[in-house]
mmCIF file of all heavy atoms in Angstrom:
data_model
loop_
_atom_site.group_PDB
_atom_site.id
_atom_site.type_symbol
_atom_site.label_atom_id
_atom_site.label_comp_id
_atom_site.label_asym_id
_atom_site.label_seq_id
_atom_site.Cartn_x
_atom_site.Cartn_y
_atom_site.Cartn_z
ATOM 1 N N ARG L 47 203.284 -80.718 121.529
ATOM 2 C CA ARG L 47 203.899 -81.351 122.750
ATOM 3 C C ARG L 47 204.713 -80.498 123.655
ATOM 4 O O ARG L 47 204.551 -80.476 124.823
ATOM 5 C CB ARG L 47 204.727 -82.521 122.195
ATOM 6 C CG ARG L 47 205.430 -83.291 123.213
ATOM 7 C CD ARG L 47 204.742 -84.457 123.712
ATOM 8 N NE ARG L 47 205.508 -85.341 124.563
ATOM 9 C CZ ARG L 47 205.110 -85.618 125.728
ATOM 10 N NH1 ARG L 47 203.998 -85.235 126.136
ATOM 11 N NH2 ARG L 47 205.963 -86.331 126.519
ATOM 12 N N LYS L 50 202.320 -78.318 125.662
ATOM 13 C CA LYS L 50 201.813 -79.049 126.870
ATOM 14 C C LYS L 50 202.884 -79.128 127.967
ATOM 15 O O LYS L 50 202.469 -78.878 129.130
ATOM 16 C CB LYS L 50 201.434 -80.407 126.436
ATOM 17 C CG LYS L 50 200.070 -80.503 125.684
ATOM 18 C CD LYS L 50 199.692 -81.936 125.327
ATOM 19 C CE LYS L 50 198.403 -82.037 124.694
ATOM 20 N NZ LYS L 50 197.953 -83.497 124.426
ATOM 21 N N PHE L 107 199.205 -83.868 139.833
ATOM 22 C CA PHE L 107 199.689 -85.196 139.388
ATOM 23 C C PHE L 107 198.940 -85.670 138.159
ATOM 24 O O PHE L 107 199.604 -86.202 137.286
ATOM 25 C CB PHE L 107 199.448 -86.222 140.561
ATOM 26 C CG PHE L 107 199.675 -87.590 140.209
ATOM 27 C CD1 PHE L 107 200.963 -88.092 139.998
ATOM 28 C CD2 PHE L 107 198.649 -88.506 140.015
ATOM 29 C CE1 PHE L 107 201.166 -89.393 139.638
ATOM 30 C CE2 PHE L 107 198.825 -89.780 139.638
ATOM 31 C CZ PHE L 107 200.040 -90.302 139.482
ATOM 32 N N PHE L 108 197.601 -85.430 138.112
ATOM 33 C CA PHE L 108 196.791 -85.726 137.000
ATOM 34 C C PHE L 108 197.124 -84.914 135.704
ATOM 35 O O PHE L 108 197.130 -85.416 134.615
ATOM 36 C CB PHE L 108 195.301 -85.720 137.277
ATOM 37 C CG PHE L 108 194.893 -86.847 138.130
ATOM 38 C CD1 PHE L 108 194.513 -86.656 139.429
ATOM 39 C CD2 PHE L 108 194.778 -88.153 137.520
ATOM 40 C CE1 PHE L 108 194.039 -87.797 140.140
ATOM 41 C CE2 PHE L 108 194.339 -89.292 138.298
ATOM 42 C CZ PHE L 108 193.993 -89.020 139.569
ATOM 43 N N HIS L 109 197.597 -83.691 135.961
ATOM 44 C CA HIS L 109 198.090 -82.857 134.837
ATOM 45 C C HIS L 109 199.385 -83.486 134.344
ATOM 46 O O HIS L 109 199.574 -83.594 133.060
ATOM 47 C CB HIS L 109 198.366 -81.413 135.283
ATOM 48 C CG HIS L 109 198.656 -80.537 134.229
ATOM 49 N ND1 HIS L 109 198.813 -79.155 134.416
ATOM 50 C CD2 HIS L 109 198.816 -80.683 132.873
ATOM 51 C CE1 HIS L 109 199.174 -78.545 133.238
ATOM 52 N NE2 HIS L 109 199.175 -79.413 132.338
ATOM 53 N N TRP L 110 200.237 -83.885 135.235
ATOM 54 C CA TRP L 110 201.491 -84.495 134.862
ATOM 55 C C TRP L 110 201.171 -85.786 134.035
ATOM 56 O O TRP L 110 201.822 -86.088 132.932
ATOM 57 C CB TRP L 110 202.296 -84.908 136.050
ATOM 58 C CG TRP L 110 203.584 -85.625 135.838
ATOM 59 C CD1 TRP L 110 204.753 -85.158 135.365
ATOM 60 C CD2 TRP L 110 203.735 -87.077 135.924
ATOM 61 N NE1 TRP L 110 205.712 -86.193 135.253
ATOM 62 C CE2 TRP L 110 205.053 -87.329 135.525
ATOM 63 C CE3 TRP L 110 202.919 -88.097 136.332
ATOM 64 C CZ2 TRP L 110 205.611 -88.576 135.597
ATOM 65 C CZ3 TRP L 110 203.432 -89.351 136.340
ATOM 66 C CH2 TRP L 110 204.771 -89.650 135.999
ATOM 67 N N LEU L 111 200.215 -86.573 134.459
ATOM 68 C CA LEU L 111 199.903 -87.836 133.719
ATOM 69 C C LEU L 111 199.374 -87.524 132.339
ATOM 70 O O LEU L 111 199.689 -88.259 131.382
ATOM 71 C CB LEU L 111 198.808 -88.612 134.448
ATOM 72 C CG LEU L 111 199.187 -89.470 135.627
ATOM 73 C CD1 LEU L 111 197.956 -90.166 136.242
ATOM 74 C CD2 LEU L 111 200.202 -90.542 135.175
ATOM 75 N N GLY L 112 198.580 -86.434 132.215
ATOM 76 C CA GLY L 112 198.079 -86.020 130.924
ATOM 77 C C GLY L 112 199.160 -85.576 130.022
ATOM 78 O O GLY L 112 199.062 -85.752 128.721
ATOM 79 N N VAL L 113 200.245 -84.931 130.529
ATOM 80 C CA VAL L 113 201.320 -84.491 129.697
ATOM 81 C C VAL L 113 202.327 -85.506 129.327
ATOM 82 O O VAL L 113 202.724 -85.749 128.202
ATOM 83 C CB VAL L 113 201.994 -83.255 130.341
ATOM 84 C CG1 VAL L 113 203.283 -82.799 129.614
ATOM 85 C CG2 VAL L 113 201.055 -82.087 130.488
ATOM 86 N N PHE L 114 202.751 -86.162 130.366
ATOM 87 C CA PHE L 114 203.851 -87.166 130.144
ATOM 88 C C PHE L 114 203.445 -88.623 130.015
ATOM 89 O O PHE L 114 204.128 -89.465 129.723
ATOM 90 C CB PHE L 114 204.845 -87.087 131.372
ATOM 91 C CG PHE L 114 205.507 -85.749 131.448
ATOM 92 C CD1 PHE L 114 205.239 -84.865 132.377
ATOM 93 C CD2 PHE L 114 206.524 -85.474 130.593
ATOM 94 C CE1 PHE L 114 205.859 -83.628 132.476
ATOM 95 C CE2 PHE L 114 207.127 -84.224 130.567
ATOM 96 C CZ PHE L 114 206.787 -83.314 131.516
ATOM 97 N N GLY L 115 202.124 -88.794 130.203
ATOM 98 C CA GLY L 115 201.509 -90.194 129.922
ATOM 99 C C GLY L 115 201.773 -91.156 131.044
ATOM 100 O O GLY L 115 202.438 -90.824 132.058
#
Side-chain angles (χ1 to χ4, degrees):
R47 176 92 172 124
K50 283 183 177 184
F107 173 73
F108 283 109
H109 187 177
W110 176 81
L111 278 179
V113 171
F114 295 105

